[in-house]
Amino acid sequence: MNKIITLILCLCCALSAAQATGEERLNESDANIFGHVLDKRNGEHLPFISVILKGTTIGTTTDNSGHYFLKNLPEGKFTLEYKFLGYKTVTKEVTLKNGKTLEINIEMEEDQIALDGVVVSANRSETTRRLAPSLVNVLDAKIFKATNAVNLSQGLNFQPGVRVETNCQNCGFQQVRINGLDGPYTQILIDSRPIFSALSGVYGLEQIPANMIERVEVMRGGGSALFGSSAIAGTINIITKEPLRNSGELGHTFTSIGGSSSFDNNTTMNASLVTENGKAGMYIFGQNRYRAGFDYDGDGFTELPKLKNQTVGFRSYIKTSTYSKLTFEYHHMNEYRRGGNNLDIPPHEADIAEQLEHSIDGGGLKFDLFSKDYKQKLSIFTSAQNTSRDSYYGTNKDPNAYGKTTDLTWMAGAQYNYSFDKLLFMPSELTAGLEYNFDHLKDKMLGYNRYTNQHVYIESAFLQNEWKNKMWSFLIGARLDKHNMIDNLVFSPRANLRFNPTEDINIRLSYSSGFRAPQAFDEDMHISAVGGEVAMIQRAKDLTEEKSQSLSTSVDFYHRFRNGIQVNFLVEGFFTNLSDVFVLEDIGRDEQGNLIKERRNGSGAKVMGLTLEGKAVLTSWLSVQAGATLQRSRYKESEKWSSDENVPAEKKMFRTPNTYGYFTSTVTPFKQFTVALSGTYTGSMLVQHLAGYIPLDKTVETPDFFDMNVKLAYEFPIYKEMRLEFNTGIQNLFNAYQSDFDQGKDRDSAYIYGPASPRSYFAGAKISF
């Protein structure tokens, strides 16, 4: 921790030095722009609006009175861009000359449902959601705040086609499913970089705090060639917060789980520091969370594990010239979790225990260089994450069940963009790049003679071109991937079509192909290990990669009525065909009696469905958003899942409800007071229930669940720009919680479904300045 604090202090000194010398490094002139920004509806000045000179690193924000000033600008023709969350982005063409000062005043119109929000996940370049070649949904800070989400996993449920589920009573492992496919089919990125490894995917959704996140961009399907071929179900891109202005925030929330004496305490802090000349900035964040273990059914064994989590990190930038920028980031996460029974004694003294301690260090470095005509951009980047995990999983008081896991993931690459005024028949943007991904995982459980030493490295090249104007977009691209566990070079083509018959209607069609490599360690290895006994997983000798073909089409309708009402309605159909799909089959036991499972290629599977989403801002004080997914997930042939010959094979995929959805609604009767309602619906689904507490393996059709939350918040000013907020609310208002948990040490801890926690009460306070 001392090293981290020292590093942050050194960076603060670097920012001070950048402020002192930045003016010398950047182009100096006497070309200036000043002005103000007004709300088009009421004429009020808007503070903290970002004002950017596109194609350069120059930018600022409006002050508390809504005014801005840009000085010493380069000469030439440029585009000024004004943007802020909740407002429609405005652009203005300007011609800058030495010695000339321009006054430019702007009016901005509210855009509360993000019709024109900026996204980067479609092609790693900023574009509006309306004109993006792929359909991108955005989960912003407003949703995290309205739903009282303290981490990534709690917020992801409030997206169409996305569902987060809990898979273990002992450790609380969670995974995200998109379009009916489980966790390994989704690529999770941090700032567009794939450093979320198979090990990170087991607990990482809970380990990323909400105050680290600017927004989360979700692309269902694999429509862009820029992202890895493992993005079969979709891509989740976590965009971390950037420093924009000098500000800070400190907050604390405590939750009574199930109305009991088991509390979840969460403290967050963040600060944004920007030099006066805007040439350097740093965003610092931290979180401390403690959650007591929770036993819902009184059998002495947890349904929610004990959790201690600390996170600290920063994101910073230095504008090295008018046309170049260096961005670097770092985060450290330390987490302890313990489930089972007798949580206060050493794990090997308990009847059943799963204890894990994670220490995770990650970060990245990126250098962006623009050409002076801002038609070209070169990005060079590298990211890494190292995870060290001490673990214990044991039953019957086994002292030999301790384990040690280390996982180093890093990647490096370069991307080049070129904007053509016209290529063949319309303007286009070419994107090309190279990437190298490396992962080294070592996993030891000495008491069970389990040892995994897995090296994964992937060499990739991608190329795509998007022809686009306001009406049409044609994107054609492909990836070439050489995976060390696959003999052949894998070619993955991608194609997208966007058609806007009018400004308010978007029609999209997307095709993609992808693959999953036959690596040994994945989320299913963890699940099998907590099903009541330890299992060893081995690869079949003839195991090959799993391949996918995906097709989706959507219609996105927007409208802004004269009375201020804004609406957005989306209909999307999707279909994914999987061949050589990975399945696990029990094949016997080893000399120690441990269950042996073999990963082999199954017959394949088909997933299809329909996603509906609607958003509406009905008045200045009422907004509603809701989505629903109807789907069907089936193997092509019935797959054997139990070693019991009397248990029939199943054609239906487990844990894939045919219907699920969400809603959020915000009511602001007056400026300082907000009421937020939110909820998720999970339809009936088929789940495995393994023998132990019950005599024989069986499948269970679960009941459906509706999990509703309510939050009340009141904010009032204290002094100048300092504000204090108090909030309180109830999670899972109707207590829609599983009622048939297994009990005792022989339980199947993976037999868990529905909402993550029972009815719980929370209250919190936050001070910001």
Side-chain angles (χ1 to χ4, degrees):
M1 183 62 71
N2 290 333
K3 292 181 179 179
I4 297 170
I5 295 173
T6 302
L7 179 60
I8 292 175
L9 290 175
C10 290
L11 286 167
C12 289
C13 294
L15 293 181
S16 300
Q19 180 177 8
T21 62
E23 293 295 343
E24 297 176 4
R25 289 198 306 270
L26 298 184
N27 226 1
E28 291 196 9
S29 70
D30 195 22
N32 310 307
I33 300 176
F34 73 95
H36 62 241
V37 180
L38 302 178
D39 187 307
K40 187 175 182 178
R41 181 176 59 86
N42 56 29
E44 293 182 0
H45 285 85
L46 295 176
F48 314 131
I49 302 295
S50 294
V51 185
I52 299 169
L53 196 67
K54 291 193 68 176
T56 75
T57 61
I58 298 172
T60 187
T61 60
T62 57
D63 60 20
N64 295 334
S65 66
H67 292 79
Y68 70 96
F69 180 48
L70 295 169
K71 62 180 180 179
N72 292 322
L73 304 177
E75 294 185 82
K77 293 183 178 181
F78 293 91
T79 300
L80 269 178
E81 184 177 72
Y82 303 78
K83 60 182 181 179
F84 187 71
L85 181 65
Y87 282 85
K88 187 175 180 180
T89 300
V90 176
T91 59
K92 180 76 173 179
E93 303 297 323
V94 295
T95 300
L96 301 174
K97 297 180 180 179
N98 191 16
K100 184 177 180 180
T101 297
L102 302 178
E103 179 180 2
I104 300 178
N105 300 315
I106 294 295
E107 290 183 334
M108 296 185 69
E109 188 175 0
E110 282 192 282
D111 182 29
Q112 296 184 28
I113 56 176
L115 306 184
D116 292 284
V118 173
V119 295
V120 300
S121 293
N123 52 16
R124 284 191 188 154
S125 297
E126 287 193 351
T127 187
T128 63
R129 180 179 179 270
R130 187 194 298 262
L131 298 179
S134 303
L135 183 64
V136 181
N137 278 72
V138 178
L139 180 72
D140 58 33
K142 289 182 179 180
I143 297 294
F144 282 96
K145 181 179 179 181
T147 59
N148 200 48
V150 302
N151 54 43
L152 175 64
S153 69
Q154 293 179 0
L156 274 177
N157 273 314
F158 302 97
Q159 282 289 289
V162 179
R163 192 172 68 84
V164 177
E165 63 180 23
T166 302
N167 293 128
C168 177
Q169 293 167 275
N170 288 337
C171 66
F173 157 56
Q174 295 182 323
Q175 67 169 318
V176 62
R177 292 175 177 264
I178 297 180
N179 286 357
L181 295 172
D182 60 6
Y185 292 93
T186 296
Q187 185 166 61
I188 300 178
L189 311 171
I190 298 180
D191 291 317
S192 301
R193 311 298 171 220
I195 59 171
F196 221 75
S197 66
L199 179 65
S200 300
V202 178
Y203 303 105
L205 296 179
E206 269 198 300
Q207 292 170 341
I208 297 180
N211 70 324
M212 171 183 171
I213 301 171
E214 174 68 30
R215 66 183 185 276
V216 180
E217 298 181 359
V218 179
M219 285 200 308
R220 297 185 293 273
S224 173
L226 276 60
F227 300 112
S229 41
S230 59
I232 294 171
T235 300
I236 295 174
N237 193 4
I238 304 158
I239 310 296
T240 59
K241 289 187 177 180
E242 279 200 38
L244 297 176
R245 56 186 174 86
N246 293 328
S247 61
E249 188 176 275
L250 176 65
H252 182 82
T253 301
F254 68 92
T255 303
S256 172
I257 305 171
S260 71
S261 58
S262 294
F263 286 96
D264 187 346
N265 282 276
N266 187 66
T267 303
T268 60
M269 63 77 61
N270 55 70
S272 179
L273 308 172
V274 179
T275 59
E276 185 177 350
N277 58 18
K279 305 304 186 293
M282 175 187 292
Y283 178 82
I284 304 170
F285 59 88
Q287 180 192 49
N288 183 76
R289 184 185 182 194
Y290 174 81
R291 184 182 69 196
F294 177 69
D295 174 17
Y296 180 71
D297 53 15
D299 68 339
F301 293 78
T302 61
E303 271 65 60
L304 288 173
K306 182 178 182 180
L307 183 68
K308 298 179 183 178
N309 183 292
Q310 296 86 34
T311 302
V312 63
F314 67 86
R315 179 171 179 172
S316 186
Y317 69 82
I318 294 177
K319 297 176 180 178
T320 53
S321 75
T322 303
Y323 300 99
S324 61
K325 179 180 179 182
L326 184 67
T327 305
F328 43 101
E329 56 201 305
Y330 169 79
H331 60 262
H332 172 79
M333 303 175 186
N334 193 78
E335 184 188 77
Y336 167 91
R337 59 175 66 210
R338 166 81 181 272
N341 73 328
N342 297 321
L343 302 186
D344 297 325
I345 65 175
H348 63 264
E349 294 293 330
D351 295 302
I352 184 172
E354 184 161 7
Q355 177 175 298
L356 303 113
E357 295 183 68
H358 289 87
S359 180
I360 303 171
D361 292 277
L365 184 68
K366 182 177 73 164
F367 179 72
D368 292 316
L369 177 65
F370 301 86
S371 64
K372 289 188 176 181
D373 59 2
Y374 59 93
K375 289 185 177 181
Q376 302 179 69
K377 179 184 176 182
L378 175 66
S379 296
I380 302 172
F381 45 83
T382 183
S383 296
Q385 182 164 285
N386 184 69
T387 302
S388 177
R389 183 180 80 177
D390 294 317
S391 61
Y392 177 92
Y393 174 75
T395 59
N396 302 317
K397 301 184 178 181
D398 184 356
N400 298 313
Y402 288 94
K404 177 71 175 180
T405 308
T406 59
D407 185 27
L408 173 63
T409 300
W410 67 269
M411 63 85 62
Q415 179 176 311
Y416 172 75
N417 293 73
Y418 188 88
S419 296
F420 293 92
D421 293 330
K422 185 177 182 180
L423 178 62
L424 299 179
F425 51 89
M426 68 171 62
S428 77
E429 182 170 327
L430 176 70
T431 304
L434 300 170
E435 288 182 354
Y436 179 82
N437 291 268
F438 174 85
D439 181 75
H440 181 203
L441 181 140
K442 292 191 295 184
D443 180 56
K444 297 180 182 179
M445 288 187 70
L446 299 178
Y448 299 105
N449 292 325
R450 188 179 85 184
Y451 178 65
T452 301
N453 187 8
Q454 177 178 281
H455 290 81
V456 175
Y457 47 88
I458 309 171
E459 299 161 338
S460 306
F462 54 85
L463 177 69
Q464 72 177 33
N465 192 73
E466 181 190 1
W467 289 269
K468 61 181 179 179
N469 56 29
K470 289 186 177 181
M471 179 174 288
W472 291 97
S473 170
F474 304 93
L475 185 149
I476 299 175
R479 288 183 65 90
L480 286 173
D481 292 282
K482 181 60 184 75
H483 196 291
N484 66 303
M485 294 185 180
I486 302 174
D487 293 334
N488 55 295
L489 191 68
V490 181
F491 174 70
S492 303
R494 314 281 172 91
N496 294 78
L497 170 67
R498 172 183 58 82
F499 173 51
N500 289 40
T502 71
E503 185 180 4
D504 292 334
I505 298 177
N506 279 18
I507 300 172
R508 291 183 174 92
L509 180 66
S510 175
Y511 165 80
S512 63
S513 67
F515 73 94
R516 286 178 63 202
Q519 59 194 57
F521 191 95
D522 224 323
E523 284 91 335
D524 54 3
M525 184 176 189
H526 173 79
I527 290 178
S528 64
V530 295
E533 58 183 331
V534 170
M536 310 298 170
I537 294 180
Q538 64 184 38
R539 295 195 296 261
K541 293 181 179 179
D542 58 348
L543 184 67
T544 64
E545 72 270 19
E546 182 177 346
K547 305 179 187 70
S548 70
Q549 306 284 332
S550 298
L551 186 68
S552 67
T553 183
S554 65
V555 179
D556 216 356
F557 171 77
Y558 313 88
H559 194 68
R560 192 187 306 266
F561 295 92
R562 291 183 179 179
N563 58 4
I565 295 177
Q566 302 174 42
V567 296
N568 174 213
F569 184 69
L570 166 72
V571 180
E572 180 187 29
F574 58 88
F575 173 82
T576 299
N577 181 65
L578 301 174
S579 57
D580 299 320
V581 66
F582 295 152
V583 294
L584 283 173
E585 183 176 3
D586 296 349
I587 61 172
R589 295 182 179 270
D590 63 12
E591 296 176 354
Q592 292 181 298
N594 297 314
L595 180 65
I596 303 298
K597 289 178 176 284
E598 184 177 75
R599 180 180 282 119
R600 60 176 180 80
N601 295 114
S603 60
K606 292 181 179 180
V607 178
M608 63 190 73
L610 185 70
T611 294
L612 308 172
E613 185 184 30
K615 304 176 186 177
V617 178
L618 302 176
T619 70
S620 60
W621 52 270
L622 175 61
S623 63
V624 180
Q625 179 174 328
T629 299
L630 312 175
Q631 70 175 39
R632 185 177 186 273
S633 305
R634 298 288 189 275
Y635 293 111
K636 295 177 182 177
E637 298 178 6
S638 297
E639 297 290 347
K640 188 73 175 174
W641 64 273
S642 171
S643 59
D644 187 340
E645 294 299 326
N646 296 317
V647 176
E650 288 291 343
K651 199 168 186 179
K652 185 177 181 180
M653 287 187 177
F654 291 112
R655 295 182 173 271
T656 56
N658 291 335
T659 308
Y660 57 96
Y662 79 98
F663 88 96
T664 63
S665 178
T666 302
V667 182
T668 310
F670 51 93
K671 191 172 183 180
Q672 292 82 13
F673 181 61
T674 302
V675 180
L677 301 175
S678 60
T680 60
Y681 171 78
T682 305
S684 177
M685 57 186 169
L686 189 69
V687 300
Q688 299 164 306
H689 194 173
L690 301 179
Y693 178 75
I694 60 173
L696 298 172
D697 294 348
K698 66 177 183 179
T699 58
V700 175
E701 283 282 352
T702 69
D704 59 350
F705 287 88
F706 178 60
D707 177 8
M708 182 173 174
N709 314 307
V710 58
K711 178 181 178 181
L712 311 176
Y714 185 83
E715 181 182 86
F716 54 92
I718 301 177
Y719 175 74
K720 292 184 178 180
E721 294 303 311
M722 187 174 292
R723 300 178 304 279
L724 178 63
E725 178 193 285
F726 291 106
N727 61 75
T728 186
I730 304 174
Q731 294 172 326
N732 198 353
L733 180 64
F734 303 123
N735 200 32
Y737 198 54
Q738 182 176 340
S739 60
D740 64 339
F741 286 113
D742 281 1
Q743 296 184 339
K745 66 179 182 179
D746 295 324
R747 69 180 183 175
D748 173 14
S749 62
Y751 181 61
I752 181 172
Y753 54 86
S757 61
R759 181 191 296 124
S760 301
Y761 306 88
F762 67 88
K766 179 176 65 176
I767 186 168
S768 55
F769 50 89

